[in-house]
C-alpha cells in the first residue's frame, strides 16, 4: 500500500496517511489522519473537499505570526487547535513568515549561515514540543479524524508525522522515505531573484536548503530523541506517556 500523493485539494503536499505500511502486515486506514500545508482553500472545490473529509480537528503547528498572515479554513463542527511547535524567538530566521523572510534576506557576512544553523537546531528540539504533541496523542485517544499542518507541510509536519508513525509501528527507514517525499511532491524553488536584493550566493543556497527537506535533518531529530532513551518507543513513553495500552487502542482505530 502507498499513501495518496494527490487529492482533489489543489495544493501540493496534502496527504492522507492512509496506506502507509506498518508492522504485522497492517497499514494505516484511509480517511482518518491527514497532513497538509496551510489550509487556505484556493477554490470552492478546495473548500468542498475539506468539508468532505468530516474532520473532527485541525492541529495547526504554526506560530501566531504565521496564523495571522494566513488563517485556516475550518469546516463546520471541526475543532481548531493552534499549538506552535517552536517560537519565532527561538528561530527568527527560518523563512516561514513574511517577517522572518525579510530578516533572513537582510543577513550579511558570517550571519548568512544562521538560517541553516537554526534549521538544524529546530530539528533537534521539535520532537520535544510537549504541548502540541501531547494534544496530538489526545486526539488519537479520542479516535478523532484530524489533519495536522504547518506552513509548507514539510518540517514541523514531518516531525509530527514521524511521532505518529513510530507510535503506529513503522520503522525509521519507512518514516524517512515518506518524509523526503515532500521535496518530490513540492520541490523548493531556488530563489535567484534574491540577488537583486543584495543576497549572496551562499545566502540564496542556505535559503534553498531551509525550504527543502533533508535526511540529515530527520536524523538529527532521531539522534536527539535517542540521546537519553534506548528506543523511539521509550522516548514516546517517557516524554508523552505513550503506553502500550494507548498504542494498542490506536492500532485498533487507525490500522487495518
Amino acid at each position: 500500500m502507498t499513501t495518496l500523493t494527490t487529492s482533489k485539494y489543489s495544493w501540493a503536499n496534502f496527504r492522507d496517511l492512509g496506506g502507509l505500511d506498518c508492522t504485522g502486515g497492517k497499514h494505516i486506514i484511509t480517511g482518518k489522519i491527514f497532513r497538509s500545508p496551510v489550509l487556505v482553500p484556493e477554490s470552492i472545490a478546495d473548500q468542498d473537499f475539506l468539508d468532505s473529509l468530516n474532520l473532527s480537528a485541525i492541529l495547526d503547528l504554526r506560530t501566531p505570526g504565521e496564523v495571522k498572515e494566513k488563517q485556516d479554513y475550518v469546516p463546520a463542527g471541526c475543532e481548531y487547535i493552534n499549538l506552535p511547535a517552536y517560537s519565532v524567538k527561538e528561530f527568527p530566521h527560518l523563512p516561514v513568515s513574511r517577517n522572518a523572510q525579510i530578516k533572513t534576506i537582510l543577513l550579511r557576512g558570517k550571519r548568512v549561515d544562521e538560517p541553516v544553523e537554526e534549521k538544524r537546531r529546530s530539528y533537534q528540539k521539535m520532537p520535544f514540543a510537549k504541548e502540541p504533541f501531547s494534544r496530538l496523542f489526545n486526539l488519537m485517544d479520542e479516535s478523532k479524524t484530524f489533519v495536522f499542518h504547518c506552513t509548507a507541510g514539510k518540517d514541523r509536519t514531518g516531525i509530527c508525522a514521524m511521532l505518529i508513525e513510530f507510535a503506529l509501528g513503522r520503522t525509521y527507514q519507512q518514516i524517512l522515505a515518506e518524509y523526503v517525499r515532500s521535496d518530490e511532491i513540492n520541490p523548493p524553488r531556488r530563489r535567484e531573484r534574491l540577488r537583486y536584493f543584495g543576497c549572496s550566493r551562499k545566502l540564496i543556497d542556505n535559503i534553498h536548503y531551509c525550504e527543502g527537506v533533508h535526511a540529515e535533518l530527520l536524523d538529527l531529530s532521531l539522534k536527539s530523541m535517542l540521546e537519553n532513551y534506548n528506543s523511539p518507543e521509550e522516548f514516546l513513553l517517557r516524554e508523552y506517556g505513550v503506553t502500550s495500552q494507548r498504542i494498542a487502542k490506536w492500532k485498533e482505530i487507525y490500522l487495518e
Side-chain angles (χ1 to χ4, degrees):
M1 299 290 292
T2 57
T3 54
L4 301 176
T5 58
T6 60
S7 67
K8 294 180 181 177
Y9 206 39
S10 66
W11 299 323
N13 216 23
F14 180 95
R15 284 183 260 175
D16 185 338
L17 268 62
L20 289 176
D21 292 325
C22 300
T23 54
K26 301 279 190 176
H27 59 265
I28 301 175
I29 66 174
T30 60
K32 286 293 290 182
I33 306 176
F34 304 90
R35 55 179 292 174
S36 180
V38 60
L39 294 169
V40 180
E42 297 179 357
S43 66
I44 295 298
D46 284 347
Q47 185 171 314
D48 290 343
F49 174 69
L50 288 174
D51 289 339
S52 75
L53 298 178
N54 298 314
L55 295 171
S56 302
I58 294 169
L59 178 59
D60 184 349
L61 303 169
R62 297 177 298 156
T63 64
E66 292 171 88
V67 174
K68 187 175 181 180
E69 287 181 1
K70 290 186 177 181
Q71 296 187 0
D72 278 349
Y73 170 74
V74 181
C78 179
E79 179 184 10
Y80 173 77
I81 306 160
N82 176 222
L83 294 172
Y86 58 62
S87 72
V88 174
K89 185 177 293 186
E90 291 176 294
F91 307 109
H93 299 109
L94 294 184
V96 292
S97 68
R98 291 191 189 95
N99 191 45
Q101 289 166 2
I102 292 169
K103 288 182 178 180
T104 300
I105 67 174
L106 293 176
L107 292 173
R108 299 293 184 267
K110 294 182 179 179
R111 296 194 67 198
V112 300
D113 287 328
E114 288 183 17
V116 172
E117 293 168 359
E118 289 182 19
K119 189 80 163 186
R120 289 171 177 154
R121 290 200 306 272
S122 75
Y123 267 80
Q124 292 171 317
K125 186 165 185 176
M126 281 191 290
F128 298 88
K130 284 288 182 68
E131 198 171 6
F133 298 139
S134 293
R135 188 59 182 276
L136 161 73
F137 293 131
N138 288 338
L139 291 175
M140 294 174 69
D141 287 336
E142 297 165 7
S143 310
K144 299 292 188 180
T145 297
F146 63 93
V147 58
F148 58 95
H149 78 88
C150 52
T151 291
K154 294 186 177 188
D155 301 302
R156 290 163 289 186
T157 297
I159 295 297
C160 190
M162 176 178 68
L163 298 183
I164 293 171
E165 291 175 57
F166 268 137
L168 293 179
R170 280 171 56 78
T171 68
Y172 181 64
Q173 290 71 29
Q174 290 173 317
I175 293 167
L176 180 60
E178 185 64 17
Y179 162 81
V180 298
R181 288 181 64 241
S182 284
D183 273 4
E184 299 171 16
I185 297 168
N186 188 27
R189 294 173 292 168
R190 188 171 293 278
R191 303 182 185 275
E192 296 295 339
R193 64 182 179 178
L194 292 178
R195 291 179 296 133
Y196 301 108
F197 294 91
C199 296
S200 66
R201 169 60 55 190
K202 183 68 176 296
L203 180 57
I204 292 172
D205 288 345
N206 286 344
I207 291 172
H208 182 72
Y209 178 91
C210 287
E211 292 184 340
V213 294
H214 308 275
E216 66 173 3
L217 292 175
L218 203 67
D219 288 347
L220 285 174
S221 292
L222 181 63
K223 182 179 179 182
S224 182
M225 291 166 61
L226 299 182
E227 282 181 352
N228 297 305
Y229 302 107
N230 293 320
S231 66
E233 292 75 21
E234 185 181 353
F235 167 83
L236 290 173
L237 175 63
R238 300 304 177 191
E239 291 290 331
Y240 294 102
V242 175
T243 62
S244 58
Q245 291 81 6
R246 293 179 81 185
I247 290 173
K249 179 182 177 182
W250 297 341
K251 288 183 176 181
E252 288 180 4
I253 298 165
Y254 295 107
L255 300 187
E256 63 180 4

